[in-house]
Amino acid sequence: MTPDEGYIKYQSHWSPGPPPDIDATRLLEKWRIPLFAAGLIGHYADLNIGFGNISIRSGAPGQFLITGTQTGHIERSTAEHYSLVTGFDIDRNEVSCNGPVQASSEAMTHAAIYALDPLIGAIVHVHSKQLWDRYLDVLPSTDNAVAYGTPEMAKEFRRLYRGSKFRSDGIAVMCGHDEGLVSVGKNLEQAACRILSLAKEQ
Ligand SMILES: [Zn+2]
C-alpha cells in the first residue's frame, strides 16, 4: 500500500459551504453502506489513513458529488461528508469544490473518468488486496509507472476506456496504486454492484 495514500496531490480550491444536494448524498450513503461493510471502503488502522470513495454526477453538467477527503473510517456518512466538485483542469492539476469538506484526494481521477463519456453516471473506487492480487492484469489495468492522483492516471483511464473492456464491463485495476480498483456505471447502483459482485465471487 502506498504510504502517501489519502493525501491530496492536486491543487485544491475549496469553498466551504453548506451540504450539497441532500437527496444525492442519501443515494451515495445507501450504496456506501454495503461497500463499507465489505471492507472495500475503510481505513488502514496502522497508517491512520482512509481509503475508497464514491461519486455521482450532480449539479451542472460536468460536476459531481464525491466523498470528502479522509472519510474512509466513518461507518455511516451524512450530507456533511460530501463535496461538490465544480471544476477541474487535468493538465494544470487543479480541482475546485464546495461543501462542508474538501473533495477526496482521488477527485481528479473521478473527474477524468467522467470526462470520458457522458453516459458514465457514477464511479466507485475501492481498495482490496484480495481483488487487486487476483485481477491485476486479468481485468483492464493501468500502467504500473502511473501513481494515483496524478494527471498521468487520468490519461491512463482514457487509454483503457478507448482500448479495453473497461468501457463495456466497467471495472479497472489500478496497477500503480496498490489495492486500488475502479468501477463505473450508468448509475451508482450499477457501479457499486459491479464491484460488489466481484467481491462476492471470492
Ligand atoms: Zn485509493
Side-chain angles (χ1 to χ4, degrees), residues 41-196:
I41 289 175
H43 180 246
Y44 293 114
D46 50 339
L47 297 158
N48 195 25
I49 290 171
F51 61 82
N53 37 72
I54 57 177
S55 69
I56 53 171
R57 287 190 190 271
S58 181
Q63 301 187 344
F64 59 94
L65 199 57
I66 188 167
T67 20
T69 186
Q70 291 304 315
T71 54
H73 64 286
I74 293 159
E75 193 173 345
R76 289 283 181 273
S77 66
T78 68
E80 301 290 331
H81 299 119
Y82 293 92
S83 187
L84 183 70
V85 172
T86 53
F88 68 98
D89 185 321
I90 294 173
D91 294 322
R92 294 178 65 183
N93 204 22
E94 292 180 349
V95 170
S96 303
C97 63
N98 65 49
V101 282
Q102 287 205 66
S104 155
S105 60
E106 280 162 296
M108 173 63 84
T109 304
H110 287 243
I113 294 172
Y114 282 119
L116 296 173
D117 190 341
L119 295 176
I120 296 174
I123 299 171
V124 171
H125 168 57
V126 302
H127 279 223
S128 163
K129 178 161 171 42
Q130 257 188 324
L131 293 180
W132 197 83
D133 286 347
R134 174 151 181 200
Y135 291 107
L136 184 63
D137 292 328
V138 175
L139 293 174
S141 302
T142 59
D143 191 282
N144 181 38
V146 175
Y148 99 98
T150 59
E152 288 69 33
M153 183 61 92
K155 287 167 194 148
E156 265 300 278
F157 278 107
R158 191 186 311 156
R159 181 182 69 80
L160 289 183
Y161 203 72
R162 287 177 180 167
S164 80
K165 285 179 134 187
F166 179 44
R167 188 184 204 121
S168 55
D169 297 352
I171 300 183
V173 182
M174 298 169 84
C175 182
H177 181 50
D178 281 2
E179 305 183 5
L181 292 93
V182 166
S183 66
V184 300
K186 61 181 189 227
N187 54 37
L188 188 54
E189 179 177 4
Q190 187 181 47
C193 287
R194 279 175 162 162
I195 209 88
L196 285 166

Side-chain angles (χ1 to χ4, degrees), residues 19-35:
D21 185 332
I22 301 290
D23 288 339
T25 59
R26 289 208 179 110
L27 182 66
L28 285 159
E29 170 57 10
K30 178 186 167 188
W31 285 103
R32 191 181 174 280
I33 290 170
L35 291 162

